[in-house]
Each structure stands twice: as structure tokens, then as C-alpha cells.
């Protein structure tokens, strides 16, 4: 019988996508065949529903393969996935990054494998030792510097899927980035679950800004460094210094804001208030006038009134946000917010739509403001690249994938800029 390479499916965040690439390497190294691996997300109830839907679809398409389910949803509720008829093995978030797990999945051993391999994620004290040298496109590489989260926001199940915060030592991250630059990558993106907590578990408790400055100093040939997402209240002095002084640090920050009303922020157990978010954005833009912001905002958090929602809606203007990730609130069993008085589903849907409309307007304004400006565009494919602010740009003439192309913006096409 012909053996087939494993099929991988990824749901959720960029870190999950990173870890899927690491699992592909581990599976290949240990000869895993005829398997389907689903890397799940647990950020919302909808994400868990989609994970189950994807598992059933892949089982139908691969009736003879072993179905292995991992990721945050598998970590937080392993028994419910193990109970699915379509699932053969459930693997935890720590176990999925361990070589021995994949050695046990080899064709002659998979039948003997424990059906549930999920330990207490809170006992994990190290980041995964398996680092990959880039994935996604040939232009941009992602480097995981941190995993887990020590905070307990009332809406979030992720700490129970990822464990407590743990950091990759700076020297390990720098060495990996050096290898990526040697392989021709022009941009590196730092990723993690709670990026601004990086270093708190390392000797001397360095901060994220220290790591950023160290990377830029020790890897002088790296053209572009990007940070994926931060909690603005934890931005340290060196990070602000890097924003002000380091042109190789890209002027685009994605902020974990979640809401714009102080009472809702307190009920979420966030560590910032509305004015903190506005103050950070004003200061970052003062230091770097071309800075753009993305943000996560939840619509319809429990107890949110219309006036409270209006505070979140106004935050788009007050913080001058451009790229919005809008999440209609859905209760996650096991979180404190699920036990709070819930907002009507129709109101949640309406508020999410209004937030998205505000986001669309912000993008339109941003695009219009770029016409006539010069940008250095990192090419993701021969006809599309991204500016320093992560805005997509289309080119009529093919360019070299992975190269950085200076261009003047001459127009807008939908949500993309047009290169001259």
C-alpha cells in the first residue's frame, strides 16, 4: 500500500502556524505517514466549533489516515476531542513540540500510541526547543520568542491552553535571526502569546525593548524587524527608544486593546485604562510619525451597554487605529466572563458590524494618505508586497520575490495601494 505524507491543518494564530511548520519537520524526521494533524484554536467558542468541523471534513477526505488533534482547544478540553469518532490521538501543546511524540507516531507504533497525550501545561517551564528557520513566504520569517501568558483576562482561555509565560533566551533568538538573514530573508517578525512579558523569567529580567535593541545591534545586516503584537501598557523605555531611533524596526504595531471603556476593561481584568491606550498611541506616533496601529477589539462583552460600546467605537478615532481585528464576544466555558450577564446576540452582531465599518473607514483614509508617498515594499510574490506599515501594494511589472523595492504610490485599488 502506498504511504502518504501527513496532511496538516492550522486554525488560529500566527504562533499556531509557526508550530505547525515545526511539527511538519518533526513528523518528517520520524517517518510519520498516513496521518492528518489538526492544530486547533480555542480563542472563541466559534473557533472550537470550526475545529470540530475541520476534523470531520478531513476525516471524510482521508478515511484511512490516523487523525491527530492538537493545539489550544485540544489542550483545554482533550476528552471532548478524544470522544469524537473521527479522532485517533489527542496531543497537548507541550507534547506536540517534543520529538518523542512524533517518534511514537511512526507507522509501526501509531496503533500502540496513547489516545490522549495531554499533561498539565502549567507545569511547563521552557519554551519549545524546536526552532524553525522561517516559514510562510520566502520574503518574511517568523521567530517565536515567547509562549504562554501569566495574565488572567476574564474572557480568555488561552493561558490554560498555552501555560504560563516563558521566554526564549536572547542569544538563541539572535542566532536564529542571523541564520535567517544568511538564508536571504529581508524581514523577521517576532511572535509570541504575550510578547511584552518576554524576559521576565530570564536572568536579570530583561524587557522586550532590550531584545529588540540587541537584535538590531548584533544582526546589522537584517533590513527589517517587525513586532507582531504587544500589550501597550507594558511597553518599556528601550522599546520606545527603538521606535524613535531605529528605522529598521517597522512602524506598525498591533495592540491588544480589547475595549475602550474603563468599566469594561476592569471587568475584563485588563491592566490598562482608556487613557493609557490613547497616551501610548500619541507618544508612539510622536516618536515615529509614520507609525500605524492595528488593534484587537471585542464587541458585546458581558454587561456592555450602548454607551460603553460607544467608548470602544470612539477609540478607533482617538487612537487613530487602522487595522482592526473585531471579535464578536462569545462565552468560553470555564472563564469568569461566561458567568457574567450576557449581551443580546443581535446587539453583539450589530456592534461588531459598526466596529468593522469604522475599521474599513480608517483603512480607506490610510490608503488615500499614501498616494504620492514613497515606500520601501517587501515583495511577497512577483506582483504584491507590503509597505513598512504592512499595507499591501500591487505592481504591474513583476518584481523579485523577497526583495525590497522602492516605489512611489500612485493610486488605490480596493484595499491595496498601486505602485508607480
Amino acid at each position: 500500500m502506498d504511504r502518504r505524507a501527513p496532511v496538516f491543518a492550522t486554525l488560529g494564530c500566527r504562533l499556531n502556524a509557526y508550530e505547525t511548520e515545526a511539527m511538519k519537520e518533526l513528523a518528517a524526521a520520524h517517518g510519520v505517514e498516513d496521518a492528518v494533524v489538526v492544530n486547533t484554536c480555542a480563542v472563541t467558542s466559534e473557533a472550537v466549533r470550526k475545529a470540530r468541523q475541520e476534523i470531520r471534513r478531513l476525516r471524510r477526505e482521508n478515511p484511512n489516515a490516523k487523525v491527530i488533534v492538537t493545539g489550544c482547544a485540544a489542550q483545554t478540553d482533550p476528552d471532548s476531542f478524544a470522544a469524537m469518532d473521527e479522532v485517533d490521538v489527542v496531543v497537548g501543546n507541550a507534547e506536540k513540540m517534543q520529538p518523542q511524540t512524533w517518534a511514537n507516531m511512526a507507522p509501526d507504533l501509531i496503533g500502540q500510541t496513547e489516545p490522549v497525550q495531554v499533561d498539565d501545561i502549567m507545569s511547563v517551564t521552557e519554551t519549545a526547543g524546536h526552532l524553525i528557520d522561517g516559514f510562510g513566504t520566502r520574503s518574511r520569517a517568523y521567530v517565536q520568542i515567547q509562549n504562554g501568558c501569566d495574565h488572567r483576562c476574564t474572557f480568555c482561555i488561552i493561558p490554560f491552553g498555552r501555560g504560563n509565560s516563558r521566554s526564549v533566551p536572547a542569544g538563541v533568538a539572535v542566532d536564529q535571526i542571523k541564520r535567517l538573514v544568511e538564508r536571504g530573508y529581508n524581514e523577521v517578525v517576532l511572535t509570541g502569546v504575550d510578547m511584552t512579558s518576554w524576559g521576565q523569567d530570564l536572568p536579570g529580567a530583561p524587557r522586550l525593548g532590550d531584545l529588540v535593541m540587541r537584535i538590531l545591534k548584533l544582526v546589522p545586516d537584517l533590513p527589517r524587524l517587525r513586532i507582531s503584537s504587544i500589550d501597550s501598557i507594558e511597553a518599556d523605555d528601550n522599546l520606545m527608544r527603538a521606535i524613535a531611533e531605529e528605522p529598521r524596526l517597522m512602524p506598525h504595531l498591533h495592540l491588544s486593546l480589547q475595549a475602550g471603556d474603563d468599566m469594561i476593561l476592569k471587568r475584563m481584568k485588563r491592566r490598562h485604562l482608556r487613557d493609557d491606550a490613547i497616551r501610548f498611541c500619541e507618544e508612539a506616533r510622536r516618536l515615529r510619525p509614520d507609525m500605524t496601529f492595528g488593534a484587537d477589539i471585542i464587541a458585546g462583552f458581558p454587561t456592555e451597554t450602548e454607551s460603553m460600546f460607544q467608548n470602544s467605537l470612539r477609540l478607533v478615532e482617538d487612537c487613530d487605529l487602522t487595522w482592526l481585528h473585531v471579535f464578536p464576544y462569545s462565552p468560553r466555558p470555564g472563564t469568569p466572563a461566561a458567568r457574567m450577564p450576557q449581551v443580546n446576540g443581535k446587539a453583539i452582531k450589530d456592534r461588531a458590524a459598526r466596529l468593522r465599518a469604522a475599521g474599513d473607514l480608517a483603512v480607506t483614509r490610510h490608503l488615500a494618505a499614501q498616494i504620492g508617498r514613497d515606500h520601501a515594499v517587501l515583495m511577497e510574490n512577483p506582483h504584491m508586497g507590503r509597505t513598512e506599515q504592512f499595507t499591501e501594494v500591487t505592481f504591474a511589472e513583476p518584481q523579485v520575490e523577497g526583495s525590497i523595492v522602492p516605489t512611489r504610490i500612485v493610486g488605490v485599488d480596493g484595499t491595496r495601494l498601486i505602485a508607480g
Side-chain angles (χ1 to χ4, degrees):
M1 185 178 74
D2 290 337
R3 295 282 187 181
R4 295 195 309 154
V7 174
F8 286 82
T10 306
L11 298 102
C13 66
R14 182 62 69 174
L15 187 55
N16 251 14
Y18 177 101
E19 290 171 345
T20 291
E21 294 304 310
M23 286 191 287
K24 286 179 182 178
E25 291 186 1
L26 289 166
H30 292 92
V32 176
E33 297 170 330
D34 292 329
V36 168
V37 183
V38 183
N39 197 6
T40 63
C41 172
V43 70
T44 63
S45 297
E46 177 65 10
V48 176
R49 186 191 70 78
K50 286 183 178 177
R52 297 184 190 282
Q53 189 179 51
E54 185 74 352
I55 290 163
R56 294 186 183 104
R57 181 185 71 79
L58 288 167
R59 163 56 78 202
R60 287 194 301 271
E61 293 178 2
N62 303 272
N64 299 317
K66 296 288 185 182
V67 175
I68 303 161
V69 179
T70 186
C72 289
Q75 178 70 45
T76 55
D77 194 5
D79 292 341
S80 74
F81 285 95
M84 292 179 68
D85 292 338
E86 296 85 357
V87 175
D88 295 291
V89 183
V90 180
V91 175
N93 262 340
E95 290 78 8
K96 74 182 182 185
M97 305 301 284
Q98 295 169 359
Q100 189 57 48
T101 299
W102 298 95
N104 294 343
M105 299 287 184
D108 54 338
L109 291 174
I110 198 164
Q112 306 164 31
T113 300
E114 284 289 322
V116 178
Q117 303 172 43
V118 182
D119 288 337
D120 178 13
I121 195 72
M122 295 303 175
S123 67
V124 178
T125 58
E126 295 181 355
T127 48
H130 194 93
L131 296 173
I132 60 167
D133 284 350
F135 79 95
T137 69
R138 283 176 286 177
S139 57
R140 182 180 295 109
Y142 294 81
V143 172
Q144 180 186 353
I145 62 163
Q146 183 272 341
N147 204 340
C149 185
D150 291 339
H151 308 298
R152 297 295 180 263
C153 298
T154 58
F155 56 83
C156 188
I157 199 79
I158 298 306
F160 303 98
R162 288 284 178 182
N164 291 318
S165 180
R166 47 221 194 266
S167 309
V168 173
V172 173
V174 167
D175 287 346
Q176 189 186 8
I177 292 169
K178 285 179 178 176
R179 291 198 304 273
L180 291 165
V181 172
E182 287 168 3
R183 290 182 55 195
Y185 284 96
N186 279 327
E187 182 173 298
V188 165
V189 185
L190 303 181
T191 70
V193 174
D194 181 27
M195 293 267 291
T196 34
S197 71
W198 179 87
Q200 292 177 22
D201 57 325
L202 297 176
R207 303 293 300 274
L208 178 62
D210 301 326
L211 176 64
V212 167
M213 297 294 280
R214 186 168 175 179
I215 290 167
L216 291 168
K217 179 182 177 182
L218 297 180
V219 196
D221 295 334
L222 172 66
R224 292 161 68 136
L225 180 67
R226 195 179 290 278
I227 299 173
S228 59
S229 179
I230 68 166
D231 205 338
S232 58
I233 196 67
E234 290 189 331
D236 60 278
D237 290 345
N238 261 346
L239 183 58
M240 302 309 287
R241 183 179 148 210
I243 289 169
E245 299 177 3
E246 295 287 353
R248 291 185 294 146
L249 179 63
M250 293 296 95
H252 168 246
L253 292 173
H254 191 84
L255 309 177
S256 178
L257 297 182
Q258 310 305 344
D261 180 82
D262 285 349
M263 181 57 72
I264 292 297
L265 288 165
K266 288 177 181 177
R267 287 171 180 163
M268 288 178 166
K269 281 191 73 172
R270 300 295 294 164
R271 283 155 294 133
H272 72 274
L273 297 174
R274 174 192 180 80
D275 285 349
D276 297 323
I278 296 169
R279 191 159 47 244
F280 171 81
C281 291
E282 288 175 345
E283 177 64 7
R285 191 167 275 112
R286 184 186 70 79
L287 296 171
R288 189 79 175 266
D290 58 344
M291 180 66 74
T292 60
F293 300 109
D296 296 331
I297 301 183
I298 295 173
F301 184 82
T303 76
E304 182 185 73
T305 64
E306 176 61 24
S307 63
M308 291 172 174
F309 168 72
Q310 286 293 331
N311 285 332
S312 289
L313 192 60
R314 280 197 299 273
L315 201 66
V316 179
E317 295 278 347
D318 294 343
C319 285
D320 199 6
L321 306 175
T322 300
W323 315 109
L324 294 194
H325 287 181
V326 177
F327 296 89
Y329 176 79
S330 63
R332 292 293 288 112
T335 60
R339 301 189 295 272
M340 296 179 185
Q342 303 294 303
V343 174
N344 173 276
K346 187 173 181 295
I348 293 175
K349 189 174 180 182
D350 172 69
R351 290 172 189 174
R354 282 189 279 163
L355 267 173
R356 290 190 180 111
D360 291 343
L361 191 61
V363 170
T364 300
R365 279 199 306 264
H366 169 73
L367 295 173
Q370 306 314 306
I371 296 174
R373 292 187 180 179
D374 295 325
H375 282 286
V377 178
L378 179 72
M379 300 307 300
E380 294 187 0
N381 62 54
H383 291 280
M384 194 280 286
R386 290 184 189 266
T387 69
E388 305 89 336
Q389 292 88 359
F390 214 60
T391 312
E392 292 186 355
V393 184
T394 57
F395 287 73
E397 296 297 320
Q399 309 293 323
V400 176
E401 186 173 340
S403 65
I404 296 175
V405 178
T407 191
R408 177 157 292 181
I409 304 303
V410 297
V412 174
D413 180 14
T415 58
R416 289 179 172 179
L417 300 170
I418 301 171

